[in-house]
Amino acid sequence: MARPKVKDEASRKALVYSRYYGGKVGTAPKVPVRSLDDFSIWYTPGVGAVSKAIEARPELSFEYTNRWNTIAIATDGTRVLGLGKVGPEAALPVMEGKALIYKFLGGVDAYPLPIRAADEEQFIATVKALEPSLGGVNLEDIESPKCFEILDTLRAEMHIPVWHDDQQGTAGVILAALFNALELTGRKLRETRIVLFGAGAANVAAARLLAEAGCDLADLIVIDSKGILYPEREDIDTLLLRNKWKYELAIKTNGGGVKGGLKEALDGADVLVAAAGQGPTLIKKSEVARMNKHAIAFLLANPVPEMWPSDALAAGAEIVATGRSDFPNQVNNSLLFPAIFRGALDVRAKTITDSMVIAAARELASFAKEKGISSRRILPTMLDWEVYPRVAAALGVQAQRDGQARRKASKKQLLRDATLMIGQSRKAMQALMKSGVIGEPPE
């Protein structure tokens, strides 16, 4: 497997195109304006009747306005991609890119919303104040462990879905990929030894979701920058005070009491999920060689994985995945988040439970199986757009089972709704490009 060159051309084009287009997303009307009379309907005086109806029954805001299809992508810019703490203004192009994906693949109207907040309390208060305008919130690129407290608080105190894609989205797509990788290697989740290398947002959430899906936490080993987590580690009291989420993993995982670092953790392990930082030298071939036969390695750091896939395969791994589209087996949350919110919005969900994420992950994995899985294709790609309505419908059904849906609908109806919304979004893009409203980029 060839090692790709750094794509400087993509960076150059990103700068040129971003200036040319002045951003990646905007708003567009969804009602006709045929004459001045229409303004008296859509705005004053007609709109007053709509406001009075909503005043009497605030839940009607989900029917009479676009609230039902609107989410905010909220960030404080403290951990943006692989760039780190770049601030809210510099986070905006990333949030715009995410909004574009939400619209194109999920039909969701997502508004990029970097927030200049002095601390997590101010960030939480700001997001909560926006609830009357929104059907959901996607938290994005917030540093750990602050992101855990923000997510837990907003999920508990808001009445619309609050989702942290770096936690739940990454965990969900890891689970989907693992379902198929385990099947290809003849394993079951309950009997598999899994090593999570890195204890940030992605892997802390992955540990929780794996447990909810049936993984035995005793078979799970988590490693942070100081080594394997276990109850007697010398900094365990500090973890209790400063990072209760990592503390709980130290108490509940690693049933074998393994101590040391990655080398010791991988001895006899079946699966490695690395979300530890930029590679390609964070993991050695000699460490992967200590894993069991038919090993599975997910190397998820972007843009440079913790080790090159070719090195992992040479060390004996049978299935290797990364977060990149230019290698086989991209494990990227973009396969999940547009459909997650499509499904949540279509049933007017109040939250997104772990069981809803697991249902979505199972549907993503099932779609791949129907198309045919192999060691080089364990998940669909972003080009398999038919998967998004299916995942959305599966999530909507589970939301109803969990008692978190304001709207009842059959799976068939939800599939039809999601297909229509995503199809319309794609048609609108094609029409705008064909008409020249969205022009060709400059050379």
Side-chain angles (χ1 to χ4, degrees), residues 44-313:
T44 185
V47 74
V50 182
S51 291
K52 287 182 179 178
I54 295 174
E55 181 187 20
R57 291 178 56 199
E59 67 272 20
L60 288 178
S61 60
F62 286 99
E63 298 182 27
Y64 288 159
T65 75
N66 196 45
R67 180 183 180 186
W68 71 275
N69 197 45
T70 301
I71 69 167
I73 307 174
T75 183
D76 62 357
T78 52
R79 193 180 186 283
V80 178
L81 296 178
L83 305 174
K85 195 171 186 175
V86 298
E89 287 86 353
L92 186 53
V94 182
M95 304 307 119
E96 281 193 339
K98 191 134 194 168
L100 177 66
I101 294 172
Y102 261 121
K103 188 63 178 178
F104 190 68
L105 295 177
V108 174
D109 293 315
Y111 290 87
L113 199 66
I115 296 171
R116 183 178 294 109
D119 50 37
E120 60 197 67
E121 287 76 20
Q122 187 179 13
F123 186 91
I124 288 169
T126 302
V127 174
K128 284 179 64 177
L130 295 169
E131 182 168 347
S133 303
L134 302 172
V137 177
N138 181 134
L139 302 173
E140 192 75 20
D141 290 349
I142 301 170
E143 63 188 348
S144 172
K146 178 168 58 175
C147 63
F148 302 123
E149 186 68 39
I150 288 174
L151 177 64
D152 289 352
T153 302
L154 290 177
R155 287 181 83 182
E157 298 182 4
M158 296 183 76
H159 305 288
I160 55 175
V162 181
W163 166 268
H164 184 203
D165 201 40
D166 303 310
Q167 294 186 59
Q168 298 151 292
T170 305
V173 78
I174 287 172
L175 183 63
L178 200 52
F179 282 144
N180 285 344
L182 293 176
E183 180 162 322
L184 284 169
T185 56
R187 296 183 171 98
K188 296 184 183 302
L189 185 59
R190 187 69 181 177
E191 301 160 359
T192 297
R193 287 193 58 203
I194 301 174
V195 174
L196 300 180
F197 182 36
N203 271 351
V204 169
R208 188 189 72 234
L209 198 64
L210 285 168
E212 288 291 327
C215 175
D216 187 347
L217 282 175
D219 288 332
L220 206 64
I221 293 179
V222 184
I223 307 173
D224 70 0
S225 59
K226 295 182 179 178
I228 295 172
L229 294 178
Y230 59 95
E232 297 81 22
R233 211 171 79 164
E234 61 182 12
D235 63 341
I236 196 71
D237 292 337
T238 303
L239 287 180
L240 177 60
L241 293 173
R242 296 184 178 179
N243 193 331
K244 64 182 180 182
W245 301 270
K246 200 189 294 187
Y247 170 83
E248 289 179 4
L249 288 177
I251 299 299
K252 296 177 179 177
T253 61
N254 191 10
V258 180
K259 300 177 183 177
L262 183 61
K263 182 178 71 173
E264 291 77 14
L266 289 181
D267 202 9
D270 300 305
V271 177
L272 164 64
V273 179
Q278 297 299 301
T281 58
L282 281 184
I283 303 173
K284 300 180 178 66
K285 291 167 68 174
S286 60
E287 293 168 331
V288 173
R290 301 172 75 94
M291 297 177 69
N292 279 334
K293 290 182 179 178
H294 311 298
I296 299 164
F298 295 169
L299 311 165
L300 303 182
N302 256 325
V304 184
E306 287 81 356
M307 73 184 302
W308 292 119
S310 55
D311 288 339
L313 291 167

Side-chain angles (χ1 to χ4, degrees), residues 404-436:
Q404 300 298 336
R406 292 182 175 91
R407 174 186 176 233
K408 304 294 184 186
S410 66
K411 186 171 185 177
K412 185 177 180 181
Q413 179 65 49
L414 291 173
L415 181 62
R416 191 158 52 227
D417 292 348
T419 302
L420 177 65
M421 286 296 294
I422 297 171
Q424 285 180 339
S425 186
R426 293 168 64 85
K427 286 180 182 176
M429 170 75 85
Q430 291 165 2
L432 291 170
M433 292 176 65
K434 187 176 181 180
S435 66

